[in-house]
Amino acid sequence: MERVLIIGAAGQLGSELTQALANIYGGDNTIATDINPQSLEKLNFCRTSVLDVMDKDAVRKLVKDENVKQIYHLAAVLSATGEQNPLFAWHLNMESLLFILELAKEEKLDKIYWPSSIAVFGPNTPKVNTPQYCVKEPNTVYGISKQAGERWCEYYFQKFGVDVRSLRYPGLIGYKSLPGGGTTDYAVDIYHKAIAGAHFVSFLSEDSYLPMMYMPDAIKATLDLMHSPKEKVLIRSSYNLSAMSFSPKEIFESIKTHYPDFTISYKPDFRQVIADSWPDTIDDSKAREHWGWKHDFDLENMTGDILKHLPSYSF
């Protein structure tokens, strides 16, 4: 079995992806790392190590000592958080990616996974069925770093043969971790408020449509891409990925069918401007054509699944 390293393993995506990778490669061959030692405690099904991705010597030593063959580089400052400290967000997001790509080239690693985002799009991007190839003029530091990162990934594949693969995630929704500072995180928090019997205040307007995806579909897409034969991965910048699109009002109404007394109000803040620059819906036909992507969850069955499992999940 190949040895797999996950950087930023304790985040919303990382914690669930790490479990899936451990199920495939085994706990002894799955090394979960994060800068926060306490956050690693929940990943006791695999090997863990405290690691700062900006400590290049430490990352290199771990990769060489453990004979790592695949890296899932998930560490990043997300959209809303990044706007609070844009220079730090750019430094962490870009410098870490460039180092991992260079390390993959030097050590001849088998595969690299790096997530992109719908944040690469901007206000001049077509908002409905946003195509794979179109104008991208992001207006957040997160989106700018993802757009630049996509170009570097394709560059390292074309120039040096680094087998790097990427997905442009829509908003990701899961119940196994708390919101992590993204603009789409309202769609995670709203379920927690419903379960707690609390009133929910949306930081987006009621009719703000955004592309969204339930975490099991995001994990499935990631693994499907990474396990596809190299010749089927025809896009080396990042693939569009889609499952569903909805507004805060629609997710609220889906929850009310289970919690009739649930209430909501709307108080848009700076994140509304970010959301307004992103697409309403995404055309992911290239992913479906090239490596057979197909989602399983829509809004209705996602809401039912979350409300079934969330009450018994502890943080």
Side-chain angles (χ1 to χ4, degrees):
M1 278 292 192
E2 289 194 347
R3 188 150 287 173
V4 178
L5 171 65
I6 306 98
I7 299 173
Q12 182 194 23
L13 171 65
S15 56
E16 298 196 44
L17 181 58
T18 299
Q19 177 70 76
L21 290 168
N23 292 342
I24 295 169
Y25 295 98
D28 287 342
N29 292 313
T30 305
I31 306 171
T33 69
D34 202 275
I35 196 170
N36 183 353
Q38 290 184 328
S39 66
L40 290 171
E41 293 176 1
K42 61 184 177 181
L43 305 179
N44 56 9
F45 48 81
C46 66
R47 297 171 60 195
T48 61
S49 179
V50 177
L51 184 69
D52 179 356
V53 70
M54 303 305 286
D55 186 343
K56 297 178 181 179
D57 290 339
V59 176
R60 187 185 302 276
K61 185 176 188 304
L62 179 60
V63 167
K64 296 183 75 169
D65 288 352
E66 297 291 347
N67 195 27
V68 167
K69 294 300 182 184
Q70 294 187 42
I71 297 179
Y72 288 74
H73 174 33
L74 310 180
V77 179
L78 300 182
S79 58
T81 304
E83 292 306 288
Q84 308 305 308
N85 194 342
L87 294 183
F88 172 72
W90 172 262
H91 175 65
L92 189 146
N93 292 358
M94 290 309 307
E95 289 298 319
S96 63
L97 172 61
L98 285 169
F99 169 65
I100 295 299
L101 290 172
E102 192 66 14
L103 182 63
K105 180 187 75 172
E106 294 172 357
E107 298 298 325
K108 297 180 172 54
L109 302 185
D110 288 348
K111 294 177 190 174
I112 300 295
Y113 181 76
W114 174 79
S116 189
S117 164
I118 59 170
V120 299
F121 302 116
N124 296 318
T125 296
K127 292 184 71 68
V128 178
N129 291 328
T130 303
Q132 176 70 42
Y133 302 107
C134 61
V135 172
K136 300 177 187 68
E137 296 176 345
N139 56 8
T140 65
V141 66
Y142 180 64
I144 293 167
S145 69
K146 289 300 184 184
Q147 184 189 36
E150 288 188 10
R151 306 316 314 146
W152 278 116
C153 286
E154 187 164 62
Y155 182 88
Y156 267 78
F157 172 74
Q158 292 179 342
K159 297 292 184 179
F160 308 117
V162 174
D163 188 352
V164 57
R165 308 180 182 198
S166 177
L167 296 170
R168 289 176 186 148
Y169 289 121
L172 298 183
I173 305 169
Y175 62 85
K176 296 183 179 180
S177 61
L178 295 171
T183 301
T184 57
D185 277 350
Y186 86 88
V188 177
D189 189 36
I190 192 170
Y191 289 103
H192 290 266
K193 292 295 192 296
I195 293 292
H199 177 75
F200 180 69
V201 180
S202 173
F203 55 72
L204 298 182
S205 64
E206 67 176 10
D207 58 352
S208 293
Y209 280 84
L210 286 170
M212 297 285 191
M213 179 173 288
Y214 193 27
M215 191 62 73
D217 273 338
I219 302 303
K220 174 187 173 184
T222 306
L223 296 177
D224 283 354
L225 174 65
M226 288 298 281
H227 294 152
S228 292
K230 190 174 182 179
E231 61 271 14
K232 289 191 174 184
V233 184
L234 303 181
I235 294 173
R236 294 297 180 151
S237 52
S238 192
Y239 275 97
N240 273 8
L241 191 69
S242 181
M244 52 185 150
S245 290
F246 55 77
S247 66
K249 182 180 180 181
E250 288 178 346
I251 193 172
F252 166 69
E253 290 174 346
S254 77
I255 293 172
K256 271 187 71 74
T257 63
H258 300 266
Y259 288 80
D261 296 330
F262 186 43
T263 59
I264 191 172
S265 60
Y266 301 92
K267 190 177 180 181
D269 62 16
F270 73 97
R271 288 166 284 194
Q272 183 68 55
V273 177
I274 299 174
D276 289 343
S277 73
W278 291 352
D280 293 348
T281 55
I282 298 288
D283 174 9
D284 63 355
S285 56
K286 296 296 184 185
R288 295 174 187 270
E289 174 189 345
H290 293 176
W291 41 273
W293 161 241
K294 184 179 180 181
H295 69 281
D296 292 328
F297 287 88
D298 59 17
L299 176 57
E300 181 180 357
N301 55 29
M302 176 185 73
T303 291
D305 196 63
I306 291 176
L307 295 179
K308 175 183 176 182
H309 292 101
L310 183 57
S312 62
Y313 206 85
S314 59
F315 295 92

